[in-house]
Amino acid sequence: MSTALVTPGTSRPTVARRRRGPSLASIRTYAGLAVIVVWGLAPVYWMVVTAFRDSDYTFDTTPWPTHVTLDNFANVFSTDAGNHFARALVNSTIIGAVTTAIGLIVGVGTAYALARLQFRGKHAVLGIILAASMFPGVAVLTPLFQLFTSMGWFGTYQALIIPNISFVLPLTIYTLTAFFKELPWELEEAARIDGASRRQAFRMVLLPLAAPGLFTTAILAFIASWNEYLISSQLSNDITQPATVAIAQFAGSKPHEEPFTSVMAAGTVVTIPLVIIVLLLQRRIVSGLTAGGVK
Amino acid sequence: MTVHELSEPTTEVVPQPDSSEAPPRPRKGRSKAAMLLVLPTMILLGIVVLYPVVSAMVMSLFKDPTIDPATGKFVDQGFAGLSNYTHWLFQRCTDTTGASVSCPGGTLGSLFWQSMWVTVFFTVVTVTIEVALGLWFATIMNRAFRGRALLRTSILVAWAIPTAVTAKLWYFVFAYDGIANKLLGTDILWTGDTWPARFAVVIADAWKTTPFVALLILAGLQMVPAEVYEAARMDGAGAWQRFRSITLPLIKPAILVAVLFRVLDVLRIYDLPAILTGGGGGDGTATTTLSILVIDQMRQGFNSASALSTITFLFIFAVAYVLVKVMGVNVIDTQEQQRKA
């Protein structure tokens, strides 16, 4: 208060704000919130609207769908123009599921050790894992490309899964370590005192408690693998290409014409599962993101 | 070992007398157990990261095979020393007579410094925009309001969509007849001209990752106790003053972590420029980043591509080192504190 009296210049607006304060502040807040919502959803909304438009009206600017058709979605799943989108979705699911499973199975033990045990070289291990997550995809790709080609693995699922492990494993370990650190360790101690081995205590007491964290980590790992493009675009063929590559290479029925409405429909199909996951798990995803801090 | 157990808040499930008996034994076992738990990860990372990176370094020391005109077969050209590196760094090429000349324009060899510049440009501009906007988003989201769920969803959708879809979406928005030109009343060749193409990439990347930056900063903001603001307000500090001298210093670690992650990400950017502009714009190379150059080079020779990918990752490591050592970004501690808050 004394400062306010000495510097009347700053005190006056403070008083004024206090009187009209709440309403003005909340108007500003809600205006800001509106900006954020529009920022996040407007381009996606435009994609969905276009996905339902007849391709003759691709560049129509009406903010809601006009000349509504489902043809674009039919085109997405048709193989007439050489697209294999349905198969690509299955490929993405297989690659994502296997990568996530490997990441979780291998990562869970390491995360437990990092969160719970004191051992020599712990900081080195943390450093190695962090460093591994910084490697650019191209640094791993060139030698693997040559190796996989010479082994006859080009276009196989394993050739797409193995490179994905390089960024999914560090992600699962970081996220899981953060989740493990939050667990009430007293329960594990109690189980140990009651005669359970460390392994039993981990499996029967800790793992059930960690289930939500494991689930969140699995989702983040799956999304990361689902979204991968660089390596898949170089190492996949028509049979094994994932959805990201299929979308980037989407061909129209007429040559030299970008099939915008069909591509937007394909984008919508790929985005819907993610929107559902985000809707159901937003709180968990946010805590997982800020814990793991990895893209 | 006991320190950990004793420092935990004691609950009724921990009988004190027994736990004092347990610790001595596990000491050795724990270290061994830890090794066993960490080993699979180390082996796997050795296979998927260390092996490729080391073999890239080895490959980079050999010349690319060339086709023998007589037999039509590829012939190994042997050890190259550092010539693959000088090829990129000093843009030295070999002409038909075998002499070392400056790489002619239009060849990939002549593109290294431009690609480096483009990559650094993307990094500086997008990270600046993302942090500035992310900071603003985070302060708004930190206020009390209804509809948090909707907000979180709208902010996470952009983050969760695959970059390939983001690129296609913005390719449509930035089409010549697209909504961007119609809203602005312009007829810019967004993905075709040099600078519009670069800014198209910047805008698409900022759209996609500002939410992620905002979330990281928000986690930092939520650690700032409300009483500090109350006290400052009582002392007559204005909103800007409070932001400058309280908020900013307190959330600096969170901002630095966001900057580190984003810088490392944009330095290896590939998907967006590759799909959105085809690595082109203007003369066809306006958005060619280091990663795109590596992929283009791969089709001409793995060994010189390996040299370029090695340069790329050494550059990224150097930047990470500077950020961590000089600016004092502490990823692990900052995130730990943010979780505890």
Side-chain angles (χ1 to χ4, degrees):
Chain A
M1 265 323 188
S2 59
T3 331
L5 285 171
V6 180
T7 51
T10 52
S11 81
R12 211 178 295 132
T14 315
V15 171
R17 191 177 306 138
R18 197 165 293 163
R19 206 170 295 147
R20 284 187 307 164
S23 66
L24 191 72
S26 66
I27 287 169
R28 289 231 313 261
T29 303
Y30 280 98
L33 293 174
V35 171
I36 297 176
V37 172
V38 169
W39 172 282
L41 295 184
V44 182
Y45 176 78
W46 199 242
M47 173 171 81
V48 177
V49 165
T50 310
F52 286 100
R53 264 197 186 125
D54 187 287
S55 60
D56 287 343
Y57 299 87
T58 305
F59 295 110
D60 202 351
T61 48
T62 336
W64 47 85
T66 47
H67 309 280
V68 176
T69 174
L70 291 175
D71 288 356
N72 301 317
F73 292 93
N75 285 341
V76 165
F77 291 103
S78 134
T79 51
D80 294 346
N83 302 311
H84 303 281
F85 196 70
R87 178 185 282 162
L89 287 174
V90 174
N91 290 340
S92 284
T93 311
I94 294 171
I95 295 163
V98 176
T99 311
T100 304
I102 295 173
L104 276 188
I105 291 168
V106 177
V108 74
T110 306
Y112 175 85
L114 289 173
R116 186 69 177 129
L117 305 178
Q118 294 304 322
F119 59 95
R120 218 180 298 161
K122 185 172 177 172
H123 279 275
V125 170
L126 273 169
I128 288 169
I129 295 166
L130 188 65
S133 69
M134 293 194 304
F135 276 96
V138 289
V140 216
L141 177 65
T142 320
L144 287 183
F145 191 106
Q146 206 194 29
L147 179 73
F148 291 160
T149 315
S150 66
M151 289 166 73
W153 276 16
F154 179 87
T156 59
Y157 285 114
Q158 63 268 32
L160 299 170
I161 290 165
I162 290 169
N164 280 9
I165 295 171
S166 70
F167 60 88
V168 167
L169 185 59
L171 185 150
T172 54
I173 293 172
Y174 263 99
T175 319
L176 279 176
T177 306
F179 277 120
F180 277 160
K181 281 189 174 158
E182 281 189 343
L183 294 179
W185 297 105
E186 297 83 2
L187 291 177
E188 192 199 5
E189 298 295 337
R192 300 262 289 134
I193 289 149
D194 288 346
S197 69
R198 184 170 279 279
R199 188 173 299 212
Q200 281 174 320
F202 177 74
R203 217 181 51 224
M204 295 159 82
V205 179
L206 217 54
L207 223 43
L209 285 173
L214 283 168
F215 183 63
T216 307
T217 308
I219 294 288
L220 291 176
F222 188 82
I223 291 178
S225 176
W226 180 274
N227 292 358
E228 203 282 326
Y229 173 77
L230 165 64
I231 291 160
S232 313
S233 69
Q234 303 303 315
L235 283 174
S236 66
N237 57 21
D238 282 354
I239 311 295
T240 54
Q241 69 175 198
T244 48
V245 179
I247 281 194
Q249 298 175 353
F250 208 83
S253 47
K254 301 167 205 162
H256 307 301
E257 197 180 327
E258 181 75 19
F260 278 123
T261 49
S262 298
V263 173
M264 293 302 110
T268 305
V269 171
V270 171
T271 306
I272 286 168
L274 295 169
V275 173
I276 293 170
I277 291 173
V278 163
L279 273 173
L280 295 175
L281 304 168
Q282 17 144 334
R283 192 180 288 272
R284 297 196 156 283
I285 292 175
V286 170
S287 69
L289 271 183
T290 40
V294 192
K295 177 180 78 147
Chain B
M1 287 300 136
T2 43
V3 182
H4 183 86
E5 284 151 26
L6 293 176
S7 65
E8 295 284 321
T10 340
T11 62
E12 79 270 46
V13 283
V14 182
Q16 287 300 313
D18 284 2
S19 66
S20 61
E21 210 182 311
R25 188 178 50 83
R27 186 176 283 267
K28 224 180 198 169
R30 274 190 184 186
S31 193
K32 210 173 128 197
M35 285 306 148
L36 283 174
L37 290 169
V38 170
L39 203 62
T41 294
M42 290 298 124
I43 293 172
L44 206 50
L45 286 181
I47 297 170
V48 298
V49 182
L50 191 66
Y51 164 74
V53 168
V54 171
S55 75
M57 285 175 174
V58 174
M59 285 163 71
S60 71
L61 300 176
F62 290 86
K63 288 182 189 152
D64 281 321
T66 50
I67 296 177
D68 182 351
T71 59
K73 283 182 179 168
F74 276 105
V75 185
D76 280 338
Q77 296 296 308
F79 192 67
L82 293 176
S83 71
N84 282 327
Y85 290 90
T86 54
H87 166 67
W88 296 111
L89 294 172
F90 304 110
Q91 312 201 319
R92 302 305 295 178
C93 286
T94 321
D95 67 5
T96 43
T97 63
S100 175
V101 294
S102 168
C103 289
T107 60
L108 292 177
S110 68
L111 279 177
F112 174 76
W113 286 106
Q114 192 204 314
S115 303
M116 174 67 97
W117 182 85
V118 167
T119 308
V120 171
F121 168 81
F122 281 153
T123 308
V124 173
V125 176
T126 56
V127 175
T128 307
I129 293 173
E130 286 162 13
V131 168
L133 271 174
L135 196 55
W136 182 56
F137 281 14
T139 49
I140 293 169
M141 291 193 294
N142 197 31
R143 295 183 197 143
F145 59 86
R146 267 175 295 176
R148 266 174 201 280
L150 170 70
L151 190 78
R152 265 202 294 257
T153 305
S154 55
I155 212 167
L156 279 172
V157 166
W159 162 84
I161 296 183
T163 314
V165 176
T166 307
K168 279 291 179 187
L169 167 55
W170 286 92
Y171 183 60
F172 172 62
V173 168
F174 284 135
Y176 185 71
D177 295 317
I179 190 74
N181 271 343
K182 290 208 172 130
L183 284 179
L184 297 169
T186 52
D187 40 27
I188 299 169
L189 283 170
W190 281 104
T191 54
D193 274 347
T194 305
W195 282 99
R198 287 173 182 158
F199 277 105
V201 172
V202 166
I203 292 165
D205 192 58
W207 174 73
K208 185 177 167 54
T209 35
T210 299
F212 170 71
V213 174
L215 288 173
L216 285 184
I217 297 177
L218 179 63
L221 268 180
Q222 285 171 343
M223 288 166 59
V224 183
E227 302 88 60
V228 183
Y229 285 113
E230 210 44 58
R233 195 172 296 151
M234 298 270 252
D235 285 343
W240 174 243
Q241 255 180 310
R242 290 199 299 271
F243 181 76
R244 279 277 329 255
S245 35
I246 301 174
T247 313
L248 223 43
L250 283 170
I251 60 169
K252 196 178 149 207
I255 294 177
L256 287 178
V257 167
V259 167
L260 175 72
F261 284 137
R262 287 305 303 144
V263 164
L264 298 187
D265 259 354
V266 191
L267 285 177
R268 53 188 170 181
I269 191 168
Y270 177 80
D271 311 22
L272 261 184
I275 303 171
L276 182 57
T277 63
D283 58 359
T285 56
T287 59
T288 300
T289 59
L290 288 171
S291 287
I292 294 180
L293 194 60
V294 175
I295 300 293
D296 288 348
Q297 177 60 44
M298 252 173 57
R299 302 200 176 94
Q300 301 188 9
F302 284 118
N303 295 340
S304 44
S306 296
L308 184 56
S309 76
T310 304
I311 294 171
T312 305
F313 107 75
L314 288 177
F315 174 59
I316 292 177
F317 257 64
V319 172
Y321 185 84
V322 168
L323 283 170
V324 171
K325 289 287 170 188
V326 179
M327 288 171 63
V329 185
N330 193 326
V331 179
I332 295 155
D333 285 358
T334 305
Q335 289 183 342
E336 215 137 277
Q337 280 157 14
Q338 291 194 349
R339 286 194 69 77
K340 279 181 191 147

